[in-house]
Amino acid sequence: MLLDRRHIPRPPLSKYIDNLWLVRGRLTATWRNLIFPDGAMEMILNLGDPQKLCHPANPPARTTFKRSWISGERSEPILIEEAGVIDLVGVRFKPGGAYPFFRFSISELTGRVVEMDAIWGGAIDQLREQLAGAPNHHAVFACLERWLSQRLSGVPEPSRLVAFALDQIQRGGEDARIGRIVELAGISHKHLVREFDRCVGLTPKLLSRVCAFQSAISWIGFKP
């Protein structure tokens, strides 16, 4: 049985982060988890056995991730293979919420799963050591929250334009149409796309489709 815990960070982190999460336990058999795009990016620190990223159409074609990684925005599903000791700590960013922490165009991570060492070097190793030494999940979340707060300090926020467009897209309805968003914001479509490329990682149209897909899944799942 796996222990699954979630934690909502305090402001200002809660403005950018949906939740911090932890999963611990042991799998007695190999488990493959198909994850559909949902508009969120996730940062994952692995304190257990390696995880494998498989190609959905060809599961034997896989890449092994041992330590820590960031999963960028996606418009296609990914397949994760897990086995053995599971000890994962993660950060689930809100759409557009990862930008202040990474300080480069988020589109560089789109459709990719990237080892965190390549981005933050030794700093991520120190964080893993601190998390591994935490006595319980409360201490894990407190440690991760402190680290994220330090990364956020003094970093400029995404533009108000991006925040406005994200809100309209997530609300859905008539005002979620991209043409309507640029009309309300008084900017060009190209300018909106450039800002989404920098701060979100998906075009407004693709993100709108992902949100509509997730709404459909929720409706089907909870329909009486």
Side-chain angles (χ1 to χ4, degrees):
M1 183 175 179
L2 298 180
L3 172 72
D4 187 339
R5 293 289 183 268
R6 296 290 185 272
H7 171 72
I8 298 175
R10 295 168 296 177
L13 290 178
S14 58
K15 183 176 181 180
Y16 310 101
I17 294 170
D18 186 64
N19 65 72
L20 312 180
W21 56 267
L22 175 150
V23 177
R24 283 178 172 166
R26 178 181 287 275
L27 293 174
T28 57
T30 299
W31 174 262
R32 285 179 177 162
N33 187 15
L34 184 65
I35 304 174
F36 291 99
D38 57 7
M41 289 177 56
E42 296 211 59
M43 167 182 157
I44 300 171
L45 297 110
N46 185 16
L47 308 175
D49 289 335
Q51 302 263 304
K52 295 180 175 66
L53 175 65
C54 305
H55 192 290
N58 183 23
R62 53 198 176 185
T63 304
T64 300
F65 291 89
K66 297 181 179 180
R67 299 161 63 81
S68 59
W69 56 90
I70 180 78
S71 180
E73 283 283 12
R74 297 174 286 107
S75 58
E76 301 290 339
I78 59 174
L79 183 64
I80 304 296
E81 183 177 284
E82 303 173 283
V85 176
I86 306 299
D87 194 345
L88 301 172
V89 180
V91 180
R92 179 180 172 82
F93 295 100
K94 294 179 178 179
Y99 172 73
F101 298 89
F102 288 87
R103 309 185 191 187
F104 55 76
S105 176
I106 292 300
S107 63
E108 294 184 26
L109 300 172
T110 299
R112 302 173 63 197
V113 178
V114 179
E115 291 278 7
M116 296 286 288
D117 309 62
I119 300 173
W120 282 327
I124 204 69
D125 291 331
Q126 294 174 8
L127 175 60
R128 286 181 74 255
E129 291 177 5
Q130 293 169 7
L131 296 176
N136 53 52
H137 69 273
H138 299 291
V140 166
F141 291 143
C143 176
L144 186 53
E145 198 166 338
R146 286 193 301 271
W147 191 86
L148 289 164
S149 295
Q150 293 169 359
R151 299 292 309 178
L152 183 63
S153 178
V155 176
E157 297 182 2
S159 69
R160 291 183 179 180
L161 167 62
V162 171
F164 170 76
L166 284 170
D167 182 63
Q168 297 298 107
I169 289 172
Q170 291 175 298
R171 285 174 183 267
E174 177 67 16
D175 287 344
R177 292 189 303 107
I178 307 307
R180 178 62 173 161
I181 290 173
V182 298
E183 178 186 341
L184 290 171
I187 47 90
S188 70
H189 182 267
K190 286 185 178 180
H191 181 56
L192 180 64
V193 169
R194 283 197 300 269
E195 286 297 286
F196 265 60
D197 185 75
R198 180 172 67 93
C199 299
V200 180
L202 290 177
T203 66
K205 182 180 288 187
L206 269 177
L207 180 61
S208 182
R209 289 176 178 173
V210 167
C211 290
F213 174 73
Q214 283 296 322
S215 294
I217 289 178
S218 298
W219 184 81
I220 293 170
F222 291 101
K223 184 178 179 181

